[in-house]
Amino acid sequence: MDAEIRRIAINTGGGDAPGLNAVIRATVLAARRRGWEVVGIRKGYHGLLQGDGVIPLRRADVRGIAHQGGTILGTTNRGNPFEWPMRESDGSTTLYDRSGEVMERFRNLGLDALVAIGGDGSMKIASRFAELGMPVVGVPKTIDNDLEGTVTTFGFHTAVSIASDAVGRLHSTAEAHDRVFVIEVMGRYAGWIALHAGIAGGADAILIPEIPYSIESVCEKVRQREMRGRHFSVVVIAEGARESEGEISTLGAAAPGEAVRLGGAGHKLAQEIGQRTGKETRTVVLGHLQRAGGPVAYDRVIAQRFGAAAVKVIARREFSVMVALDPPDILTVPLSEVSGRMKCVPLDSDTVESVREMGICLGD
Ligand code: F6P
């Protein structure tokens, strides 16, 4: 069965996440063991649309990279070949469908399969290429942990670890100055990072997109702590969190072909807390630090399990699927069931219930 596969490609799409290089390494090692040739496509699908964008990936090319951050292949979140942004002479941007060119180059390169490593956007693109006949296997990446079909994505645990450390550290400076700290974390429209970092870092309030919050409820928490002699508070807010009657905070409109950028939720909340409680309130936006640098051990392991699993899946010629963690196993789920869906924090989950049990404010 293996003899039918000779040459496979790997690409990494969307925002980077710690563990991308670990997946690449595992995929290359497992594929080379079967005698397959492996190439890397630079910057998502860019590499298939330009001359020098396809590079060989031999064992030596992936030596010692599992612990490194970023991706040796480069990535982009402006690389959807079905909606390729091109600048016109008048300065405007038009979106072109270049999927046909991608399919043609893929065939001309003699590729038997693509391992597409990415988040929801990348899985959507992979699913569309699968419909056009490309043999694709997806690998679930994102610090946001918002991909359907898998218990976890790689990158998430690293982001939580970085954010928890920051939340924990801010306690001492908050206490020293009797201040309130509002820490804004990433996660887009899901509250996984905020919830986990908030619990691990000992936050007094955790605000997630799944539970629209009331500013009064957060201020009440600050006041209660004040009355108990705790003259500081630490609030974690997800970038996608919003007030019950409010809108999600964004950094302007999305450019053509790009997702809207979220940001500002922390500043907005801090201002309100300061005004209503009279407490000096500061904001820390953790931003891209959450996905910078190498993966924690958990992500190194899960990323390499995903990479090895992708090769096994290709070997049995199962395509149009994404490898997924269903502990203790790695299974596959159809790309069509993943793409366009979002895994939010379930409000009846034990994690959310535990937060309530402990009296941590969820803003409702
Ligand atoms: O999806 C990962 C993520 O880091 C989100 O948490 C965040 O909203 C977004 O990407 C930021 O994207 P960019 O790097 O394009 O600003």
Side-chain angles (χ1 to χ4, degrees):
M1 195 190 277
D2 282 15
E4 294 169 30
I5 303 288
R6 288 194 179 83
R7 197 169 200 230
I8 68 165
I10 308 175
N11 73 352
T12 54
D16 70 321
L20 282 167
N21 286 325
V23 181
I24 295 170
R25 173 178 187 267
T27 308
V28 170
L29 295 188
R32 291 298 307 141
R33 236 192 92 245
R34 290 173 187 268
W36 304 349
E37 194 186 334
V38 189
V39 296
I41 303 167
R42 284 195 194 276
K43 286 193 177 289
Y45 295 87
H46 267 266
L48 291 178
L49 296 170
Q50 66 190 36
D52 58 350
V54 177
I55 56 167
L57 289 176
R58 297 149 299 209
R59 294 181 70 93
D61 299 309
V62 297
R63 199 168 283 148
I65 64 168
H67 64 286
Q68 287 173 8
T71 158
I72 58 167
L73 295 175
T75 188
T76 177
N77 41 22
R78 292 178 201 159
N80 180 354
F82 293 89
E83 290 176 9
W84 194 267
M86 302 254 246
R87 226 168 147 69
E88 306 292 355
S89 49
D90 63 0
S92 66
T93 303
T94 311
L95 300 178
Y96 289 93
D97 182 355
R98 300 189 68 188
S99 57
E101 291 169 67
V102 168
M103 289 300 289
E104 195 184 338
R105 184 90 200 283
F106 189 85
R107 277 191 290 264
N108 291 344
L109 286 165
L111 294 169
D112 298 311
L114 171 69
V115 176
I117 312 170
D120 54 342
S122 304
M123 292 308 124
K124 217 179 283 173
I125 296 169
S127 181
R128 291 189 70 181
F129 275 123
E131 281 167 20
L132 295 180
M134 189 186 280
V136 192
V137 173
V139 176
K141 164 237 73 170
T142 169
I143 63 165
D144 305 337
N145 196 36
D146 60 353
L147 260 180
E148 263 300 345
T150 183
V151 165
T152 193
T153 52
F154 73 84
F156 170 61
H157 285 78
T158 306
V160 168
S161 159
I162 294 167
S164 309
D165 184 52
V167 175
R169 280 173 179 274
L170 285 163
H171 276 74
S172 61
T173 179
E175 185 165 17
H177 288 266
D178 291 347
R179 285 171 173 161
V180 176
F181 268 86
V182 174
I183 303 144
E184 181 185 304
V185 299
M186 283 184 163
R188 289 201 76 76
Y189 305 107
W192 295 102
I193 299 177
L195 184 65
H196 286 246
I199 297 172
D204 304 301
I206 303 172
L207 307 176
I208 60 176
E210 291 84 349
I211 306 177
Y213 68 87
S214 127
I215 292 179
E216 256 320 299
S217 146
V218 183
C219 292
E220 199 41 41
K221 178 75 187 178
V222 172
R223 290 188 201 108
Q224 280 169 11
R225 283 178 56 77
E226 199 70 22
M227 280 182 329
R228 290 209 307 267
R230 307 295 279 157
H231 301 294
F232 71 99
S233 291
V234 173
V235 178
V236 172
I237 183 167
E239 61 181 355
R242 63 175 175 86
E243 254 186 282
S244 317
E245 304 300 324
E247 299 286 326
I248 289 178
S249 305
T250 62
L251 302 173
E258 264 191 69
V260 67
R261 286 192 202 153
L262 306 188
H267 282 294
K268 187 174 160 239
L269 176 66
Q271 240 173 13
E272 290 285 346
I273 295 176
Q275 274 164 18
R276 295 187 192 204
T277 66
K279 297 283 303 172
E280 185 182 354
T281 306
R282 298 293 181 93
T283 316
V284 174
V285 180
L286 292 183
H288 291 83
L289 253 188
Q290 290 159 99
R291 55 188 225 213
V296 294
Y298 181 92
D299 280 333
R300 288 184 208 181
V301 174
I302 200 69
Q304 292 185 85
R305 287 181 67 196
F306 281 150
V311 168
K312 280 197 278 184
V313 170
I314 293 172
R316 60 175 189 254
R317 302 195 73 82
E318 183 189 349
F319 297 116
S320 309
V321 292
M322 179 185 85
V323 294
L325 177 68
D326 184 4
D329 302 314
I330 305 278
L331 306 177
T332 55
V333 287
L335 279 171
S336 55
E337 284 180 19
V338 174
S339 119
R341 294 175 61 192
M342 185 171 57
K343 184 181 72 186
C344 290
V345 173
L347 297 186
D348 58 356
S349 64
D350 181 71
T351 315
V352 172
E353 276 178 23
S354 304
V355 167
R356 292 199 191 281
E357 282 294 327
M358 288 187 282
I360 299 169
C361 170
L362 281 165
D364 53 353

